[in-house]
Amino acid sequence: MYIVPKIEDYSPAALDKAGQELLNAVRQEADAIAGENEWKAFRDRWMARKNGVLTQVNDMWLKAAPGPAKRDVGARINEIKPLAEEIIQNAWRRVFETKLLAEHEVAKTVWKVKGKQGKVTIRDLLLAKERVDITLPGIVRPLGAEHPVIRTMNEIVGVFRAMGYSIAEGPEIETDYYNFEALNFPPDHPARDTQDTLFIAGQEKKRQRDRLLLRTHTSPVQIRVMQQQPPPIRVVIPGKVHRADTADATHSPIFHQIEGLAVDTNITFCDLKGTLDHAMKSLFGSDVKTRFYPSFFPFTEPSADVQVTCFKCGGKGCRLCKMSGWIELLGCGMVDPNVFKFVASNGYDSSKISGFAFGMGVERITMLKYGIDDIQLFYQGDVRFLEQFA
Ligand code: PHE
């Protein structure tokens, strides 16, 4: 590789020779270049400001020259420099052209346009690259589809809308007060342990009722709705809830619920039964029967689990219903008078009004409706799963 020599002889012949040697060296190196990266290294080697060959030439030839020779040396350098730079530029053109020509389709298009004999210039190649074939079909953007969980949610909400219910929502980050206390879970009551709650850290200084948590159910919105409007109430509340559950085929730390609340004069357990029986028939077919199985929730009294006859075996007993013939779908009950005490100032007097409430898991219902055996499928975003609901 070319190394800038020291100059000792300042005769015109010697300077000529040094100049020619330098130009020969650039040419030789330029000819050997094959690709873009090689060219860049080559350019830097020769033209880098700091230590490129051309800078070295300035230092070693001009600055080192004795006074009387400086003029001559300077003039030579001024001749050589642009020539060397041109060689470097031409090398770039060659590399670039080769690159474009290598893009076969482009070259072919140009030749089709210009005829094989025409000279193809870089401009032609660049223009050919920009050509758009307007006869090609457009990009088809696939239409999205409703997620199965949202679809079920809308379906359930629709069933209740048709019965005159309105829709409400509430925050996912709740206070202990709404999630537990106002729902008749007294502080330190063991019923709180049935919901593995995710608390927000670092709130030890706050009063317990003000501490924030991720709501474990949509029931706190019952309280929020009753605070906002006096009776009568007919409302469904869809939403996302959180529990400190380890994910497996039937558990997810995040899932969805739909809550329902009806408050009025003379609301009875019969109304609850009739309403939910109708809803289950709408969702699973008019053949299903419902039964109300005694249960416990702090905010309802009496409380029940609603079970429907297994829609797979029709009640005979199969793997889906664990041979019982029944499938448990949701929790419900008559609003506990203690709950009304928390909203008494807004017209809720348990000696005058009564109500029922229910809450169902949307994923669970979706899984049963469509025969999905792993809840995780809802959250993995696998298009092969999702497009089956499109
Ligand atoms: N919130 C209860 C749960 O998540 C379900 C429920 C709602 C029960 C309303 C009764 C009344 O388990």
Side-chain angles (χ1 to χ4, degrees):
M1 225 195 279
Y2 180 78
I3 293 172
V4 184
K6 278 212 176 85
I7 291 192
E8 266 133 29
D9 179 353
Y10 292 96
S11 70
L15 290 181
D16 265 350
K17 189 169 161 260
Q20 280 316 316
E21 269 169 14
L22 181 142
L23 288 174
N24 285 341
V26 205
R27 240 174 250 128
Q28 231 172 53
E29 280 181 40
D31 286 345
I33 282 163
E36 220 175 316
N37 291 337
E38 262 179 54
W39 178 81
K40 278 187 188 144
F42 164 68
R43 176 201 57 194
D44 293 345
R45 169 169 145 70
W46 285 87
M47 310 220 317
R49 281 241 174 132
K50 234 180 142 195
N51 216 14
V53 173
L54 297 178
T55 306
Q56 287 177 40
V57 162
N58 256 354
D59 291 345
M60 295 179 58
W61 292 2
L62 185 61
K63 284 191 192 147
K70 269 204 200 309
R71 235 181 91 96
D72 242 13
V73 174
R76 301 278 166 164
I77 292 179
N78 284 344
E79 270 169 40
I80 293 169
K81 255 198 184 162
L83 292 175
E85 282 166 7
E86 195 184 316
I87 294 168
I88 294 165
Q89 269 315 309
N90 284 340
W92 167 245
R93 286 176 71 87
R94 188 174 53 71
V95 167
F96 188 58
E97 233 163 354
T98 322
K99 194 179 134 200
L100 283 178
L101 278 165
E103 291 171 20
H104 239 77
E105 287 309 308
V106 174
K108 266 199 290 189
T109 326
V110 175
W111 285 323
K112 229 187 265 165
V113 174
K114 295 205 107 184
K116 263 202 175 118
Q117 52 285 66
K119 182 170 156 35
V120 178
T121 64
I122 288 193
R123 200 182 132 76
D124 292 330
L125 291 167
L126 288 173
L127 280 176
K129 255 180 105 139
E130 281 181 19
R131 265 165 63 100
V132 178
D133 183 348
I134 57 165
T135 66
L136 286 174
I139 297 166
V140 180
R141 298 194 189 282
L143 275 185
E146 230 166 25
H147 190 279
V149 168
I150 299 298
R151 176 198 271 237
T152 307
M153 226 157 164
N154 287 339
E155 191 180 339
I156 299 171
V157 167
V159 168
F160 286 95
R161 272 173 73 109
M163 289 191 271
Y165 282 64
S166 46
I167 299 161
E169 288 182 304
E172 280 172 50
I173 302 174
E174 262 299 5
T175 58
D176 188 281
Y177 177 78
Y178 285 106
N179 198 79
F180 291 124
E181 194 179 328
L183 287 167
N184 199 31
F185 290 81
D188 304 317
H189 193 279
R192 290 179 175 225
D193 295 347
T194 62
Q195 312 209 345
D196 295 300
T197 311
L198 292 157
F199 289 91
I200 311 267
Q203 303 188 90
E204 295 72 16
K205 290 208 188 86
K206 289 188 187 168
R207 289 182 303 176
Q208 180 170 20
R209 54 181 301 180
D210 295 332
R211 291 185 198 157
L212 296 172
L213 47 81
L214 300 183
R215 68 176 178 193
T216 56
H217 50 178
T218 41
S219 302
V221 192
Q222 287 187 32
I223 307 297
R224 291 183 175 276
V225 167
M226 290 191 282
Q227 278 180 343
Q228 264 168 25
Q229 57 192 89
I233 297 263
R234 304 279 188 284
V235 72
V236 275
I237 303 147
K240 199 184 283 171
V241 302
H242 306 252
R243 293 195 191 173
D245 274 333
T246 306
D248 63 23
T250 53
H251 293 85
S252 160
I254 304 178
F255 61 101
H256 299 79
Q257 287 189 334
I258 292 182
E259 189 85 10
L261 176 68
V263 184
D264 209 333
T265 48
N266 298 315
I267 297 250
T268 68
F269 203 92
C270 276
D271 299 312
L272 171 60
K273 284 187 80 171
T275 303
L276 290 179
D277 185 73
H278 167 75
M280 293 306 115
K281 285 184 162 71
S282 306
L283 291 175
F284 293 104
S286 49
D287 290 342
V288 302
K289 293 192 176 70
T290 52
R291 79 176 180 187
F292 290 69
Y293 200 87
S295 183
F296 173 79
F297 300 101
F299 41 95
T300 47
E301 181 62 30
S303 304
D305 283 331
V306 180
Q307 305 178 346
V308 301
T309 42
C310 180
F311 31 79
K312 192 156 185 196
C313 64
K316 286 202 278 301
C318 67
R319 249 180 48 160
L320 184 66
C321 58
K322 302 202 185 88
M323 301 312 291
S324 72
W326 294 90
I327 292 177
E328 196 177 301
L329 277 187
L330 62 132
C332 67
M334 301 306 292
V335 178
D336 192 304
N338 282 341
V339 172
F340 287 137
K341 281 187 196 150
F342 287 92
V343 285
S345 61
N346 203 19
Y348 291 87
D349 174 353
S350 61
S351 69
K352 296 194 177 114
I353 47 109
S354 55
F356 64 73
F358 56 87
M360 50 189 118
V362 183
E363 277 82 349
R364 182 170 155 75
I365 291 180
T366 312
M367 289 168 77
L368 290 166
K369 260 177 90 85
Y370 297 106
I372 298 162
D373 59 8
D374 187 347
I375 195 173
Q376 299 305 321
L377 287 165
F378 290 131
Y379 316 114
Q380 286 160 348
D382 188 330
V383 174
R384 291 167 303 179
F385 170 73
L386 295 172
E387 68 191 0
Q388 296 178 61
F389 301 88

